[in-house]
Structures are given as C-alpha cells and as structure tokens.
C-alpha cells in the first residue's frame, strides 16, 4: 500500500480506465440507438400502403360493379347452356348417322317390306325408319281400305314423306338458334359489361383524384374480364353452330335421297298392281 500511495499517477490511471470504458460504451450505444429511433419515427409518420388488389378470376368477379356482375353471370349461364347443347347435338347426330347406316343395310338386304314394316311399326322411329313407316302406313291404308283410290297415291306418299322429312330436320335443328344467338350477341353483351366497368372505373378515379396504375388497373381488368367471358361463350357457339348446320344439311340430303328411292319403289308397285 505504501508503494501505491507513493505513486498517485498509477492509481489515477487505474481508476480512470473503467470510467473511460463505460463512457465509450454509452457513446456507442447512443450512436446505435439514435438512427433506430429516427427510422421508427419516420415509419410511424409515413402513411400506410394501400392493400394490393385481388386480380384473380374470382377476385375480379367479386370486386366488379353490380351491372358487370349481372353480365358475367348471364354469360356464364349462356356458356353452360351452349356446351350442354353442343354435347347433346354431338350425341344426336352421331346416333342418327349410326341408325341410318343400320337401316339402309337392313332395307337393301332384300328383306320383305311387309316384314320390315311389322318390325318397325311398334317402335318410336327416327330418320329413315320414320320415313319408311309413314309411307308404308299410308300404303296399307290405301290397299286395306274399303274404297281404294290409287289415282293420288303417289302424291299422298310424297306428301307424307316430305312432312316426315321436315319433322326430322326440325328435330335436328332444334336449339341451334340458341347457338346462333349466343354466337352473335355474346361479344356485344361482354362489350357492354366492359364499357360499364371502365365507366365506373373512371368515375372512381375522378372521385379519388388518383391516377396511379395500381388504382386504375383492377377496374380495367374487371371490365376486360367481361369481354373475355363474352368471347368464351360466343366462339364455341359460332363454331359448333356452323358444324351442326352442315351436318343437318348432309343428313337431310340422305333422308331426301332415301325418300326419292323409296317413292320410286312404291310407284313401281302401284303400276304393277294398277
């Protein structure tokens, strides 16, 4: 202790070292804390960012205007109806073609017309079978009736077969008008929804006085979504309408060709019996 007291410079240095270290630590901590506090204050004073808009298909539908929603619902319903008709008509034309091929094979196989008529008379016939049954029924009415009138039999047979052909063509063309209507009106209905959506978007822009892309884009996307839905409904409707009209024409020609051939066969028998 005597040596230490005799050396005051050493004692003062030993006592001042911890104080200097503590001072340096305080200064370093303050230097770190001041930028952090300033950044936190800037964040607290900055305005909150606007939430991002949902631009998914469901989000575009839910955020759309009421009128645009009605347009979208109508186009979705029309698209479902169009595809139901497309599937039904595809199966119908395929089934009709198979039935006509099968009937022609049986008809030209040499089987008796009376036997074929008895086989088909009790069934619900379509296509060539319906024409055959209708003509044979008129034939039998004439020959089995008490007052036989062969003078106008050819004309009556032609009228009966023509009426049956018209009925078959009408069955094939049923609901094709829906495809034509959706194909022609669908894009314009979607365009109406687009115009209405863009109009309401510009009204919102004028009210908010904000022309940034983040504000404009969702409204325009909702409006264009209506046009896309109109095209989705109209394009398949137009394509399959033209396809089914072509198939109807081909099958009608086959029916008319069979009616002419069968009329010639019956006319020959009338001449032989007359």
């Amino acid at each position: 202790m005597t040596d230490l007291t005799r050396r005051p410079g050493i004692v003062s240095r030993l006592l001042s070292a911890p104080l200097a270290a503590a001072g340096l630590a305080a200064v370093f901590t303050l230097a770190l804390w001041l930028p952090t506090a300033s950044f936190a204050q800037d964040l607290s004073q900055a305005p909150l960012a606007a939430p991002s808009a949902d631009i998914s298909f469901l989000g575009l539908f839910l955020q759309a205007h009421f009128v645009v929603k009605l347009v979208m619902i109508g186009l979705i319903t029309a698209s479902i109806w169009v595809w139901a008709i497309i599937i039904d008509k595809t199966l119908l034309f395929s089934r009709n073609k198979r039935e006509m091929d099968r009937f022609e094979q049986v008809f030209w196989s040499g089987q008796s017309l009376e036997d074929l008529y008895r086989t088909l008379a009790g069934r619900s016939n379509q296509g060539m079978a319906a024409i055959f049954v209708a003509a044979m029924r008129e034939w039998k009415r004439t020959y089995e009736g008490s007052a036989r009138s062969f003078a106008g039999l050819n004309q009556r047979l032609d009228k009966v077969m023509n009426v049956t052909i018209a009925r078959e063509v009408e069955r094939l063309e049923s609901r094709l008008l829906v495809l034509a209507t959706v194909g022609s009106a669908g894009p314009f209905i979607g365009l109406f929804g687009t115009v209405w959506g863009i109009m309401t978007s510009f009204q919102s822009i004028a009210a908010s006085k904000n022309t940034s892309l983040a504000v404009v884009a969702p409204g325009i996307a909702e409006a264009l979504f209506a046009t896309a839905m109109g095209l989705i409904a109209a394009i398949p409707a137009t394509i399959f309408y033209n396809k089914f009209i072509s198939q109807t024409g081909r099958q009608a020609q086959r029916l008319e060709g069979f009616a002419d051939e069968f009329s010639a066969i019956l006319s020959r028998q009338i001449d032989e019996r007359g």
Side-chain angles (χ1 to χ4, degrees):
M1 292 296 295
T2 303
D3 295 336
L4 292 175
T5 55
R6 291 176 181 177
R7 298 176 181 180
I10 297 175
V11 174
S12 62
R13 287 194 296 270
L14 291 175
L15 293 175
S16 62
L19 294 176
L24 289 173
V27 172
F28 183 71
T29 303
L30 182 62
L32 292 176
W33 179 78
L34 284 176
T36 306
S38 177
F39 181 69
Q41 185 177 5
D42 293 340
L43 286 179
S44 62
Q45 294 177 356
L48 295 176
S52 59
D54 186 6
I55 58 174
S56 64
F57 290 153
L58 181 60
L60 293 176
F61 173 77
L62 295 177
Q63 297 169 10
H65 190 268
F66 176 72
V67 176
V68 183
K69 283 182 180 178
L70 288 180
V71 171
M72 291 182 180
I73 292 174
L75 291 174
I76 291 173
T77 305
S79 181
I80 294 173
W81 194 5
V82 162
W83 280 106
I85 294 173
I86 289 172
I87 294 173
D88 178 68
K89 289 299 181 182
T90 301
L91 297 176
L92 174 64
F93 282 107
S94 178
R95 184 173 61 251
N96 270 15
K97 185 178 181 301
R98 290 195 305 268
E99 290 178 354
M100 286 192 293
D101 293 340
R102 186 164 53 248
F103 177 81
E104 281 188 326
Q105 183 179 3
V106 174
F107 182 81
W108 298 110
S109 63
Q111 183 179 358
S112 173
L113 297 181
E114 292 290 339
D115 295 338
L116 183 58
Y117 173 74
R118 281 193 294 268
T119 303
L120 298 176
R123 300 180 183 178
S124 177
N125 300 291
Q126 295 175 350
M128 292 180 180
I131 297 173
F132 171 78
V133 171
M136 287 296 296
R137 185 178 293 116
E138 182 63 29
W139 171 275
K140 293 182 72 66
R141 285 175 182 171
T142 302
Y143 276 94
E144 293 178 359
S146 57
R148 298 184 179 182
S149 176
F150 300 106
L153 182 57
N154 281 329
Q155 289 78 9
R156 291 197 301 271
L157 291 174
D158 290 339
K159 287 181 183 286
V160 167
M161 288 189 288
N162 289 334
V163 169
T164 307
I165 291 173
R167 190 179 298 116
E168 290 298 314
V169 172
E170 182 180 0
R171 182 175 63 87
L172 295 175
E173 291 180 346
S174 64
R175 296 191 301 276
L176 292 185
L177 183 60
V178 177
L179 299 184
T181 303
V182 174
S184 60
F188 294 101
I189 296 174
L191 183 61
F192 169 75
T194 299
V195 172
W196 193 278
I198 292 177
M199 182 180 64
T200 54
S201 297
F202 279 116
Q203 289 176 351
S204 301
I205 291 171
S208 62
K209 297 181 180 180
N210 190 348
T211 59
S212 65
L213 187 61
V215 176
V216 178
I220 296 179
E222 296 164 9
L224 295 178
F225 186 44
T227 299
M229 294 183 66
L231 294 176
I232 289 173
I235 290 174
T238 303
I239 292 174
F240 281 95
Y241 172 77
N242 295 328
K243 180 177 182 294
F244 292 148
I245 285 295
S246 177
Q247 289 183 342
T248 300
R250 288 197 299 268
Q251 293 197 4
Q253 288 179 357
R254 289 189 65 180
L255 295 176
E256 291 174 356
F258 170 75
D260 292 339
E261 292 176 344
F262 190 45
S263 177
I265 293 173
L266 294 179
S267 177
R268 191 179 304 113
Q269 293 191 7
I270 291 172
D271 293 341
E272 292 175 355
R273 297 190 181 187

